[in-house]
């Protein structure tokens, strides 16, 4: 337990600093609830030139294996954004996939390591108000005036896939003041609980996001915590949980 707690301290040190995020983002919240002290879910935030890059990642597994993958993912994102090149969400995910596959020696053989990560990644340009989004299995929720639009992710992970790898799709939209973007892992909708011990599911999760979207960021985080705690009850937490809400303008 002492080893896990110290590993958690190391993992938190690698995640974006709270003060840095407050200086980079206008308004945001991070609801991060690891299953086993350390987490395979991680969030990311960095300013690169005139762009802001944010992401929510969900690595294979949880606990120590997931945490090791998450630290690798954060390190690779830092490396990718330190080199010159166009700041496009699809390009970042494509380069991240190359590095993950190379690090894990993935070449498409049947018995090799299949570890990977799901991710939703955004690039925001404060001057033009353009938001780019690319997703590996994890979608994006965009809420404007309590109307939720889901931007679908590509059905492939950041890592080796059963089919031939294609480039990730680069979605683009114009944000308006008050718009909120939600990045998340599958931990919240997949949590078992309730009177029949079933999954929370994505439909109720969407409705929950809509219902809290007009509250302050801190209130939204507290309500997410309250709802999932009540839903879970005495049931074991099945996975890491992450919801990252951002109001860019």
């Amino acid at each position: 337990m002492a080893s896990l707690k110290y590993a958690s301290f190391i993992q938190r040190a690698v995640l974006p600093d709270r003060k840095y995020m407050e200086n980079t983002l206008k308004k945001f919240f991070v609801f991060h609830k690891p299953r086993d002290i350390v987490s395979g879910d991680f969030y990311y935030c960095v300013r690169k030139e005139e762009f802001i890059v944010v992401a929510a990642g969900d690595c294979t597994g949880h606990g120590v294996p997931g945490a090791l993958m998450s630290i690798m993912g954060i390190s690779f994102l830092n490396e990718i954004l330190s080199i010159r090149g166009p700041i496009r969400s699809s390009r970042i995910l494509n380069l991240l996939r190359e590095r993950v596959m190379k690090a894990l020696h993935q070449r498409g053989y049947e018995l090799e390591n299949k570890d990977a990560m799901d991710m939703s990644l955004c690039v925001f340009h404060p001057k033009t108000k353009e938001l780019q989004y690319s997703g590996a299995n994890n979608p994006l929720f965009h809420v404007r005036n309590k109307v939720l639009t889901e931007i679908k992710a590509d059905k492939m992970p950041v890592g080796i896939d059963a089919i031939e790898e294609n480039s990730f799709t680069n979605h683009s939209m114009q944000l308006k003041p008050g718009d909120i973007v939600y990045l998340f892992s599958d931990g919240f909708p997949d949590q078992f609980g309730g009177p029949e011990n079933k999954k929370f599911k994505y439909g109720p999760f969407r409705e929950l996001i809509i219902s809290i979207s007009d509250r302050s960021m801190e209130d939204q985080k507290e309500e997410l915590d309250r709802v999932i705690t009540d839903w879970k009850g005495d049931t074991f937490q099945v996975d890491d949980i992450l919801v990252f809400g951002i109001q860019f303008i």
Side-chain angles (χ1 to χ4, degrees):
M1 185 60 68
S3 177
L4 276 174
K5 287 181 177 178
Y6 193 74
S8 174
F9 172 79
I10 295 171
Q11 186 177 38
R12 288 198 302 272
V14 175
L15 292 168
D17 177 73
R18 174 81 188 187
K19 287 287 185 184
Y20 178 85
M21 293 179 73
E22 289 175 350
N23 292 331
T24 304
L25 304 172
K26 183 185 177 186
K27 296 179 181 177
F28 72 96
F29 73 83
V30 177
F31 177 51
H32 189 205
K33 197 176 182 72
R35 195 196 87 165
D36 300 315
I37 302 178
V38 290
S39 175
D41 288 1
F42 68 91
Y43 53 95
Y44 186 80
C45 174
V46 70
R47 182 181 284 275
K48 170 68 172 177
E49 298 166 1
E50 70 268 37
F51 297 94
I52 297 171
V53 180
V54 296
D58 181 358
C59 301
T60 301
H62 31 71
V64 173
L68 290 171
M69 283 283 291
S70 75
I71 290 174
M72 183 176 71
I74 292 169
S75 299
F76 285 154
L77 285 171
N78 288 335
E79 178 186 323
I80 290 164
L81 289 164
S82 70
I83 59 179
R84 297 185 65 178
I87 311 298
R88 289 179 58 81
S89 58
S90 56
R91 175 178 176 270
I92 295 169
L93 278 193
N94 288 335
L95 291 173
L96 179 60
R97 179 171 57 192
E98 289 178 9
R99 282 162 172 76
V100 169
M101 291 175 65
K102 184 176 180 180
L104 298 179
H105 307 290
Q106 295 176 337
R107 295 181 178 84
Y109 302 139
E110 186 176 349
L111 299 178
E112 71 184 5
N113 185 308
K114 294 294 192 301
D115 286 338
M117 58 186 77
D118 297 335
M119 183 174 292
S120 44
L121 183 143
C122 293
V123 175
F124 178 64
H125 195 300
K127 289 184 179 178
T128 65
K129 308 297 187 289
E130 180 195 28
L131 182 78
Q132 301 174 46
Y133 156 75
S134 294
N137 287 324
N138 285 353
L140 173 142
F141 287 172
H142 168 241
V143 178
R144 175 179 296 166
N145 297 325
K146 303 203 79 169
V147 176
L148 185 150
T149 303
E150 179 176 349
I151 313 298
K152 300 289 187 181
D154 291 311
K155 294 297 182 182
M156 52 186 179
V158 177
I160 198 69
D161 194 14
I163 61 173
E164 184 178 352
E165 284 78 28
N166 299 307
S167 176
F168 287 98
T169 306
N170 205 96
H171 302 273
S172 178
M173 69 187 83
Q174 289 295 127
L175 295 187
K176 294 183 178 180
D179 287 5
I180 306 179
V181 169
Y182 297 89
L183 314 178
F184 48 89
S185 69
D186 60 3
F188 201 113
D190 281 355
Q191 177 59 46
F192 284 89
E196 298 180 0
N197 196 31
K198 292 184 176 180
K199 288 185 178 182
F200 193 85
K201 297 186 179 178
Y202 277 92
F205 180 58
R206 288 169 57 105
E207 294 302 316
L208 174 61
I209 292 295
I210 293 169
S211 70
I212 66 175
S213 62
D214 58 350
R215 302 188 190 184
S216 72
M217 289 296 177
E218 190 59 34
D219 283 352
Q220 292 189 45
K221 177 181 177 180
E222 290 176 1
E223 183 64 5
L224 288 169
D225 193 8
R226 185 194 69 79
V227 169
I228 202 63
T229 300
D230 289 349
W231 175 261
K232 182 167 70 71
D234 296 330
T235 306
F236 182 70
Q237 184 175 329
V238 296
D239 200 358
D240 302 315
I241 295 173
L242 173 64
V243 183
F244 186 4
I246 311 146
Q247 185 177 325
F248 286 102
I249 54 177

